[in-house]
Amino acid sequence: MSVKSFLNLCFKYIFRHDNGESISETNRKKLKVPIPTVLSMELTNHCQLKCVTCPLHTPAGARMIKGFMAFEEFKVVVNQFAGTLTSLGLSGLGESLLHPDFQKMVTYIKARNNNLTIFLATNADLPKFRQILEPVIDKIDSIMISIDGVGDVFESVRLNSKYERFIENVEWLIAKRASEMQSTSFNMVVSAENQSQMKDVVLLAARLGIKYVGVNPMNLVCREENYESYNIYLTAEFAEHLKDARLEAAENGITLSADYFPDPLKPRIASDCVFLWDAFQINWDGSLAYCCAKPYPWVFESGNVFKSGLMKCVNSSTFIKARKVALKGATPPLCGKCSLVSTDIFDRLEVGQG
């Protein structure tokens, strides 16, 4: 499951008022956000892998300054919002476990609010994965593991990876996470190179005891490819591969999420997306990302959380302008090419809606 998939599930099933309406849905009726319910903090944008679908390995990504979030700045944000947040994600462009203070950060979150759900996205491929994670493994409520195929395909998409080491790390992780309250999931970004392996990833999840698998489109919002790159998800070949994956998931008792592929029968508009109103991503240097799919600080002037505070940044004139456009049923310019705004995709591809 992608970060977006996880957060949308949180909003849909967990964070609800007594009237059945989610906090995020309430916020989405307003131009100004009263209080975020979910945050994502990028501890670092350093990563040992060079995945071909990662925004870091694009011309824009190459411009990004690399670094680690300062622990003192991290504490300021956690101190301010730990009492009101329902979930805090440790995710971004980098591998969170590379942060030298990772264990201290996880421990600090739970010390501030033991009921706060911690979500971790990881590639699970570090040589010291177990050594870093074991001291705090019982404090992390949800772990999403990135996997873009099996065997040779895995290594061809996730450059610098070692599939055998990855499997050993995941097997160790599953053995350690015995609690029913702790979830572990797979997330697969589907491309032309690996679409035939959606079924294989589901079968691997079944073998390992993972009950949730998310398959998601490559999001073009931060890439130079044009809209035509989404055509792969509208082909009969892709539909057949997804059907096979769904059948295997059903037979093995696995929940398969494939909700974010462009579908002419289920068009989505920008106001359907939570990320203009909640689940904000704070980059390692304090810059506020437009969303996790558009992390480049120079394309979105909304301020620096460490300098101006989160609420001033999320209610900046830039964000309010984007919300106004979305609430009118249109697509904000920075949401262009996003897989979550499928009406925009179909308009560009001239795909019929019925």
Side-chain angles (χ1 to χ4, degrees):
M1 165 170 50
S2 69
V3 177
K4 287 190 173 185
S5 304
F6 168 79
L7 293 172
N8 274 314
L9 282 171
C10 287
F11 288 130
K12 186 174 182 181
Y13 298 115
I14 303 174
F15 311 135
R16 293 193 170 273
H17 297 309
D18 291 338
N19 63 4
E21 186 176 64
S22 74
I23 297 171
S24 177
E25 288 165 349
T26 301
N27 285 353
R28 267 186 276 178
K29 298 175 182 178
K30 305 171 183 177
L31 290 178
K32 284 194 173 183
V33 174
I35 193 74
T37 61
V38 173
L39 282 180
S40 181
M41 300 184 75
E42 179 188 70
L43 303 188
T44 181
N45 58 356
H46 283 282
C47 186
Q48 85 278 17
L49 303 184
K50 295 185 181 297
C51 302
V52 298
T53 58
C54 180
L56 272 180
H57 307 300
T58 62
R63 292 175 53 191
M64 298 192 77
I65 299 172
K66 301 288 184 66
F68 297 91
M69 184 176 288
F71 182 56
E72 291 305 314
E73 301 283 14
F74 171 86
K75 285 169 58 179
V76 170
V77 176
V78 172
N79 288 344
Q80 184 175 0
F81 294 99
T84 55
L85 289 176
T86 48
S87 181
L88 178 59
L90 304 179
S91 60
L93 290 183
E95 171 55 53
S96 296
L97 272 66
L98 288 173
H99 198 295
D101 291 326
F102 173 77
Q103 295 170 355
K104 188 160 60 170
M105 288 170 156
V106 171
T107 301
Y108 190 81
I109 295 168
K110 286 298 188 180
R112 294 294 299 169
N113 182 356
N114 193 51
N115 294 319
L116 178 57
T117 296
I118 297 179
F119 164 72
L120 171 68
T122 178
N123 58 50
D125 199 30
L126 283 172
K128 294 185 178 181
F129 177 79
R130 304 175 220 184
Q131 178 182 334
I132 297 169
L133 196 55
E134 184 163 25
V136 292
I137 195 170
D138 61 329
K139 301 180 188 299
I140 301 173
D141 303 281
S142 181
I143 296 180
M144 183 201 76
I145 302 167
S146 298
I147 177 172
D148 297 329
V150 301
D152 292 342
V153 172
F154 176 95
E155 293 186 353
S156 69
V157 175
R158 308 184 68 76
L159 303 181
N160 294 344
S161 66
K162 297 292 184 183
Y163 184 68
E164 184 177 347
R165 177 175 61 210
F166 168 83
I167 292 297
E168 290 174 354
N169 284 341
V170 175
E171 289 176 336
W172 170 85
L173 177 64
I174 297 303
K176 286 286 183 179
R177 291 173 68 77
S179 171
E180 290 294 324
M181 298 301 293
Q182 294 178 316
S183 66
T184 306
S185 62
F186 271 162
N187 173 62
M188 178 181 184
V189 177
V190 181
S191 63
E193 292 76 17
N194 66 4
Q195 62 172 318
S196 64
Q197 290 207 332
M198 287 187 283
K199 172 183 174 181
D200 297 313
V201 169
V202 170
L203 289 172
L204 177 63
R207 180 175 74 79
L208 295 173
I210 291 175
K211 296 298 184 182
Y212 193 102
V213 176
V215 290
N216 295 281
M218 182 171 65
N219 203 320
L220 301 182
V221 68
C222 60
R223 304 180 69 86
E224 293 185 344
E225 290 96 328
N226 58 27
Y227 284 81
E228 281 69 28
S229 295
Y230 281 125
N231 275 326
I232 177 182
Y233 307 122
L234 303 174
T235 64
E237 181 183 5
F238 170 78
E240 190 65 25
H241 289 314
L242 181 57
K243 178 183 176 182
D244 290 342
R246 290 187 190 279
L247 288 173
E248 288 296 344
E251 289 181 9
N252 288 280
I254 292 174
T255 299
L256 179 68
S257 170
D259 297 332
Y260 301 106
F261 292 102
D263 184 348
L265 299 179
K266 299 177 182 179
R268 296 181 297 270
I269 59 177
S271 60
D272 292 333
C273 179
V274 303
F275 296 98
L276 286 173
W277 285 271
D278 214 332
F280 303 104
Q281 177 175 308
I282 304 171
N283 293 335
W284 73 269
D285 59 357
S287 59
L288 187 69
Y290 184 64
C291 75
C292 59
K294 195 86 170 183
Y296 310 134
W298 58 84
V299 302
F300 183 64
E301 297 179 2
S302 192
N304 187 289
V305 173
F306 298 158
K307 297 176 181 178
S308 304
L310 178 64
M311 297 314 300
K312 184 175 181 179
C313 293
V314 302
N315 288 318
S316 67
S317 60
T318 312
F319 252 127
I320 289 176
K321 186 182 298 183
R323 290 173 192 139
K324 284 182 179 179
V325 173
L327 289 173
K328 290 179 181 178
T331 301
L334 288 177
C335 297
K337 295 198 297 185
C338 181
S339 62
L340 296 188
V341 188
S342 56
T343 51
D344 188 48
I345 296 171
F346 300 138
D347 288 343
R348 300 300 184 97
L349 294 178
E350 298 183 355
V351 175
Q353 297 294 311

